[in-house]
Amino acid sequence: MHSDDLPRFADPDTRAIPLRILTAAGLDAWLAGQEDAVRDWVAANGFEARAGEMLRMPAPDMGVARVLFGIGGPKDRARKRFLVAEAAAKFGAGTYALDGEMTANQVEEAALGWLLAAYRFTRYAGKPREAARLKAPKGVDATRIEAIAAGEILTRDLINTPANDMGPDDLEVSARALADLHDARITVTKGDDLRAGFPLVHTVGRASSRAPRLIDMSWGDEGPALTLVGKGVCFDTGGLNLKPGSSMALMKKDMGGAATVLGLAHMIMATGMKLRLRVLIPAVENAVSGDAFRPGDILTARNGLTVEINNTDAEGRLVLADALALAAETPPDLLVSMATLTGAARVAVGPDLAPYYTDDDALAMALNHAGHRVRDPLWRMPFHRPYETMIEPGIADLDNAPSGGFAGSITAALFLDRFVPDTIRYVHFDIYGWNPTPAPARPKGGVGMGARAIFDSLTDVLAS
């Protein structure tokens, strides 16, 4: 990530075309205050402020005096996030200024959506789109919104990059670039050096020709401590429990947890939050070779817990376990793990919701409020303790893939929770990291989930 590539609002002194945002219910009241020529033009064009409907209003010099953009009714806005970003996608070059009766939250959503609407992944084909510019709306913290957009774009770029160019070594390069941008400190343990301190990371990644590694980045010297742990499985074949070809098609996104925590880290560092940040990423490729770990193996984690391997395709929780154990050795005020961990989570809530697990009701309330405010939808799932017997095989402390097929996301979260002491505030996100259908400000492809909600909640959460 380079500072000159970051999304920016237009210069505040730039001449801009007003973009009037109108609800269907508010259209008549707005028209009542307009001249007859405006009312006639709106009527002649059949503009009713339906969701996504746009109308250019002519100026006397045959230019554009203003643009009207409809956002429909409450149900339309509930169904489609970043609706105003549709306007950005429809415009070519030019500069616009938001106008209309919107709440502060709606203005922030519109401004962020506008910046994200310009995103295109063009590393291998195509050209960046010449996007319409937006002046930062009054009352909006432009620097903060730009940092959020840049963090989201970093996440998307990392996920969208195929595994041949985003292996463990490439993920390390990206983390180092982010550290350099913000003067953060970074250390990396890799290859055979992982054997003693991070045995599960080493075991999962040793079959690949690209060495596994544990990336440890820290930033900030004052304030509460926040540790982010992101699953960095850069490609997942399933190991010896080989996935079918159709299930491997999107496995470049299996490092989506790592991509998301790096994007979140950028938001935190770019806005200068007063906290002590640590980012831990176990980066591996789950490959197949004569050195691959096997079903039936029993492994010992960093903290001494033993794990029976019943499926080598349940590798993400293994590498996260070592990273969580490391995080617990220097207890933070808040510990967050993010991972594209289970298909069961997708079955439960689909691709658009970010399910999360925590025993802390106050933390859950803050996350839910923030997710609603910034339109980053979350769904709380239960750490249902009676299911813990499902991850206890008897022959070892833990089972990495309990049989039966029930509650797969819950049992995976319970597995991770065993590596976090009860004294640490902990939340785990089982995200998808992929948008399967194009939507405003969210093209098909890699996408951040949960990061904006976490970022918005941090001040309140870490103060409590």
Side-chain angles (χ1 to χ4, degrees):
M1 172 183 282
H2 301 286
S3 58
D4 54 354
D5 295 331
L6 303 181
R8 302 289 188 197
F9 289 110
D11 187 292
D13 295 328
T14 305
R15 180 181 175 276
I17 298 171
L19 175 64
R20 179 75 191 194
I21 308 300
L22 292 164
T23 64
L27 177 60
D28 287 344
W30 181 80
L31 287 173
Q34 305 304 308
E35 299 175 352
D36 288 343
V38 171
R39 289 195 292 269
D40 291 345
W41 182 261
V42 169
N45 285 275
F47 179 80
E48 297 179 352
R50 293 182 292 267
E53 189 178 12
M54 186 172 70
L55 178 63
R56 290 178 172 86
M57 306 293 295
D61 63 357
M62 301 304 292
V64 178
R66 65 160 63 97
V67 178
L68 308 184
F69 187 79
I71 56 174
K75 288 185 178 180
D76 295 305
R77 298 190 291 279
R79 288 180 59 194
K80 189 177 287 188
R81 287 180 278 159
F82 298 117
L83 188 55
V84 174
E86 283 195 355
K90 292 176 180 178
F91 295 144
T95 302
Y96 296 82
L98 289 179
D99 175 33
E101 296 180 5
M102 294 185 286
T103 66
N105 289 348
Q106 289 171 338
V107 172
E108 284 194 10
E109 178 192 344
L112 175 61
W114 194 286
L115 294 182
L116 293 177
Y119 177 78
R120 298 291 186 277
F121 184 66
T122 57
R123 178 169 176 174
Y124 302 95
K127 297 180 180 179
R129 180 174 178 268
E130 187 176 4
R133 304 292 302 280
L134 181 72
K135 291 175 67 171
K138 292 181 180 179
V140 164
D141 186 338
T143 299
R144 185 173 183 273
I145 296 297
E146 288 173 344
I148 293 170
E152 169 65 18
I153 288 170
L154 172 61
T155 295
R156 293 180 184 184
D157 278 348
L158 292 173
I159 296 174
N160 285 330
T161 303
N164 60 306
D165 286 325
M166 189 50 64
D169 48 346
D170 303 292
L171 189 54
E172 177 188 336
V173 169
S174 296
R176 287 189 181 277
L178 184 65
D180 289 344
L181 181 63
H182 297 292
D183 295 322
R185 303 168 295 279
I186 190 166
T187 60
V188 177
T189 307
K190 63 182 178 181
D192 287 343
D193 291 340
L194 293 165
R195 287 181 181 273
F198 306 99
L200 298 186
V201 178
H202 178 269
T203 299
V204 172
R206 72 189 183 200
S208 173
S209 60
R210 298 188 285 186
R213 62 207 67 206
L214 191 287
I215 301 166
D216 187 345
M217 182 172 69
S218 57
W219 173 88
D221 299 309
E222 58 180 311
L226 168 67
T227 298
L228 308 176
V229 178
K231 174 186 169 184
V233 178
C234 295
F235 194 82
D236 181 18
T237 66
L240 293 179
N241 289 110
L242 194 67
K243 294 178 182 287
S246 59
S247 297
M248 271 192 244
L250 279 181
M251 281 302 99
K252 69 176 184 178
K253 77 171 185 66
D254 213 20
M255 40 65 71
T260 303
V261 299
L262 287 174
L264 174 55
H266 174 79
M267 299 175 197
I268 292 167
M269 295 186 287
T271 54
M273 293 189 76
K274 298 299 183 184
L275 54 79
R276 290 171 289 140
L277 173 67
R278 189 181 192 187
V279 179
L280 299 173
I281 296 173
V284 302
E285 181 175 25
N286 188 21
V288 179
S289 77
D291 200 24
F293 71 118
R294 297 159 292 266
D297 285 355
I298 295 180
L299 310 177
T300 302
R302 178 183 177 88
N303 66 351
L305 288 177
T306 56
V307 182
E308 181 182 12
I309 305 303
N310 280 313
N311 192 321
T312 62
D313 195 19
E315 84 300 328
R317 66 202 69 183
L318 299 177
V319 299
L320 287 171
D322 272 352
L324 289 170
L326 173 63
E329 292 167 11
T330 309
D333 296 289
L334 177 64
L335 175 58
V336 180
S337 61
M338 305 195 81
T340 52
L341 204 61
T342 70
R346 309 286 72 75
V347 172
V349 299
D352 201 38
L353 286 165
Y356 71 94
Y357 295 82
T358 184
D359 281 330
D360 190 314
D361 290 339
L363 174 57
M365 185 178 297
L367 286 169
N368 286 344
H369 176 76
H372 179 75
R373 194 185 87 80
V374 302
R375 303 301 296 275
D376 190 9
L378 314 176
W379 194 262
R380 188 182 185 184
M381 299 281 279
F383 270 135
H384 190 57
R385 302 298 171 184
Y387 289 167
E388 290 206 21
T389 57
M390 297 167 63
I391 60 170
E392 297 170 344
I395 192 174
D397 294 317
L398 294 168
D399 182 338
N400 84 316
S403 61
F406 291 126
S409 182
I410 297 174
T411 55
L414 289 169
F415 181 98
L416 296 180
D417 191 54
R418 289 291 187 92
F419 295 85
V420 180
D422 293 341
T423 53
I424 296 177
R425 283 182 107 179
Y426 174 52
V427 58
H428 163 63
F429 283 79
D430 189 347
I431 62 174
Y432 190 47
W434 191 262
N435 189 38
T437 305
R442 300 169 71 243
K444 181 178 179 179
V447 69
M449 299 180 71
R452 293 187 296 106
I454 295 170
F455 178 67
D456 190 73
S457 70
L458 281 177
T459 300
D460 290 338
V461 168
L462 293 175
S464 62

